[in-house]
Amino acid sequence: MAAVAEGLETESAAVEDAARDAADAVDAGLGVPPLLAGNRLSLDLYPRGCHRLLHLCAQQVPQLLEVEFLQLSSHEDPWLLEATLARLPWSLPRLRSLVLKGGQRRNALGACLQGSLTTLPASLSGLTHLAHLDLSFNSLETLPACVPQMCGLSALLLSHNCLSELPEALGALPALTFLAITHNRLETLPTALWSLSTLQRLDLSENLLDTLPPEIGGLSSLAELNLASNRLQSLPTSLAGLRSLRLLVLHSNLLASVPASLARLPLLTRLDLRDNQLRDVPPELLDAPFVRLQGNPLGRAPPAPHSPPGTPVVPEMPRLLLTSDVDSFPVTPQGCSVTLACGVRLQFPAGATATPVTIRYRLWLPEPRLVPLGPHDSLLSGVLELQPHGVAFLQEVGLWLLFVPPRARRCREVVVRTLSDNSWSDLETHLEEEAPKRLWARCQVPHFSWFLVVSRPVSNTCLVPPEGTLLCSSGHPGVKVTFPPGATEEPRHVHMQVVHVGSRGLPALLEEPEAAASPLLCLTQSGPPSFLQPVTVQLPLPPGITGLSLDRSRLHLLYRAPPAAAWDDITAQVALELTHLYARFQVTRFSWYWLWYTTATCVGGLARKAWERLRLHRVNLIALQRRRDPEQVLLQCLPRNKVDATLRRLLERYRGPEPSDTVDMFEGEKFFAAFEGGIDVDAGRPDCVEGRLRFVFYSHLRNVKEVYVTTALDRKAQAVRGQVSFYRGEVPEEVPEEAEAARQKKGMDTLWMATLPIKLPRLRGSEGPGHGASLSLAPLNLGDAETGFLTQSNLLTVAGRLGPDWPAVALHLGMPYHELQRIRHEFRDDLDGQIRHMLFSWAERQAGRPGAVGLLVQALEQSDRQDVAEEVQAILELGRRKYQEGIQRTSLAPGDLGPPGPSALQSPEPAQA
């Protein structure tokens, strides 16, 4: 019966996937949908699904009498939903599977919304053939009375509801093999539940259970039991009576001990006890390879509730909040909780280290050598480096990374990517929402390295044994890979990624309205490149295409072998087996596969263009000048859908031309900005090469730089009208002259993307950098060699950037207001003199004091001059780097500082999970 229930779930999922892919092909009326073929009817993804079904029932469509699988959405009017369900026993008498759940709609953060279903009509007990009932993601507070009367039910799914109790009548389901009630409010369980001798899979995770009755040992057929994320404090010894148990999940409870008899369960292959309160584990379990114990305070004595006088008090775990001028902190065996200035959080459990250790951190700006991305990945955060590298902790350390919520969520997931043993891998990641649009990626790390947050297509992995197995995609249930017995001699890991393909791009590219493509499948593996036996791959047919009506001459199976970008048509080299919804074929090597339906004959080159379009982002470039200080220029590369909102926010303080025309860019693509027409940019920035600013485009990050421009032309006579141009690629070693650059803009293979005007207004009166009283500036340095210096030249650069904002900066630096008034009076006709005098008089008082540079950066940020603050930080970073390089050259420090070497930074395709 378990096999029957699993088969019903799989077939229902297949119908759901096919309905989603064919949604655009449904007729606008209430006729029979194209997917009503044979015994399947899926209406959960269609608008007004209940209206459609009632219309079909009223028309007495003969095919309804044959339907065995039905899917409806519960995001409907409750009265209409109840009226529709009441008709089912008479209109669909052979129904075997009923999926009636919410979750098709999502909120702004992508979380599934619950449906409106609160009960079921009593007449549904007349569905005598029903074996599979899915009521997940609804608003049920009690179990409908008709459910225990469905005697043939073998699979019952009630997850994500509001159930606080279950009726005793649930024990009247003699054929039940699978019961899922996860994410409800259950505090107790009915006694009759333990009499279900046929039950094989039971999922009670994410409830409020604090105890288990001894009668649980009566579930003689139970093979999988999930009790994670409850409030269990102890386990009954009767669990040892579950002789068929293979999987027992108990993580995230309050367990202080576990019975030693669990080690004697003959079929147990996995026991998950992570994140409990276990301090002492029986040796039989402690040494068992199938037991997971991370996150438990093993070996530590519990706190005494009433300590006698004189007993030393164990201090609480320290909490550290680091400021921006601190880049290291100590960790002792006691553990600690740390919040870094960049927003990263770390949780070191007690016992994570045996001796005190100093942790160092640095947040790197993302660039291709530090950001390993697969072809369809997106970067969501900066790059965090934690040192010392590779030192294993005795307990895993909790790491929380703040990231930008991805825009596209369908068939994608967010993971933390890290460097380990010179290769990048993805950690098991959980998402936590602190506030709207403020999300954390949480993971557990055994040692420190580089970390970043990435959005990737949904990935699935499995270990293929010599006996064979089945791998299914969790994002596209219709995508499967079947490994027969004997396909491999040694177990090997297989990794699957499925990329969703929109329904509009291909018809536009081919100029063929009926062209369509399946999801894009990528398969990779460890071990030998070929399998010993052919492996069967199943892909859904392109949307709107069914096996009963397609023209086989228009169906093309495409294949790509990385690192090549070309796609080959291998339709003639494989035997395609077609069903109503799927295409199956056999391979011995893994790579990329894509199914096309088109009248075109030579599709390899077209596939390459279509694949590039899938990975391109439509962006606009903007160049704005600050209203109060036109020499300050903001450059930004924005996704097209963010341009209007960003301009509305910026135009209060900035002005400038309209954004550039839309251009296409890849994730992680390099480009640079060149100022032309007599306008120059300060070349002292680390990201500036011969006056050209380097950029790297990441679709979810800001891609913004603010710079201060100058000109050698005489602005007293007239305004200077120049421009800024954007080019693809790295800054060339020999930067072309402006005439040569203008010629290149007209070429066929141009790297030019856009040119926007920049105007520096004419200076009036006594304005100008050389006007006013001179100020004697004594040589000084702020900071130190290791954290970075700000020299006299650097301070002059900062002074030239501040403009009319200098009083706000001065007040945030702690300068009294009467001193500001004195400076204004003394240099009343010289703005530059006011700024320089304020800045250098403050710097002279701070010379030799620790934290002065950090105070300056903080004052700039508080005065809304993030552009200058970033320049100061870039100068410090450049100085630190040169200092470390000098130390390494003289062999005074180990050479483990800095970013990972090139061999460790090869971009995965895709990144291995």
Side-chain angles (χ1 to χ4, degrees), residues 551-624:
D551 180 355
R552 291 187 70 110
S553 65
R554 298 173 60 182
L555 194 64
H556 300 268
L557 179 62
L558 303 175
Y559 167 89
R560 171 181 172 263
W567 287 84
D568 298 322
D569 189 346
I570 61 171
T571 312
Q573 305 172 28
V574 299
L576 278 176
E577 175 192 350
L578 302 181
T579 68
H580 181 64
L581 299 174
Y582 303 107
R584 299 187 181 100
F585 55 93
Q586 292 187 328
V587 296
T588 56
R589 286 173 175 259
F590 277 172
S591 190
W592 292 71
Y593 301 96
W594 207 357
L595 205 59
W596 276 31
Y597 191 74
T598 174
T599 56
T601 53
C602 300
V603 297
L606 295 173
R608 178 174 180 173
K609 292 182 180 179
W611 185 55
E612 286 182 352
R613 285 197 178 187
L614 281 178
R615 299 179 293 125
L616 285 171
H617 299 271
R618 308 281 285 169
V619 303
N620 297 94
L621 300 154
I622 62 174
L624 303 176

Side-chain angles (χ1 to χ4, degrees), residues 322 327 329 338 340 342 344-346 348 358-364 383-391 393 397-401 418-419 445 447-451 896:
L322 304 188
D327 61 359
F329 56 92
V338 184
L340 307 182
C342 56
V344 175
R345 299 202 304 248
L346 293 154
F348 295 85
T358 298
I359 305 298
R360 291 175 293 166
Y361 82 93
R362 179 183 295 182
L363 195 65
W364 295 81
V383 182
L384 174 69
E385 181 188 8
L386 292 171
Q387 295 183 348
H389 293 169
V391 177
F393 294 102
V397 175
L399 173 63
W400 284 260
L401 294 172
T418 184
L419 180 66
V445 298
H447 57 80
F448 280 166
S449 181
W450 283 265
F451 302 92
D896 61 344

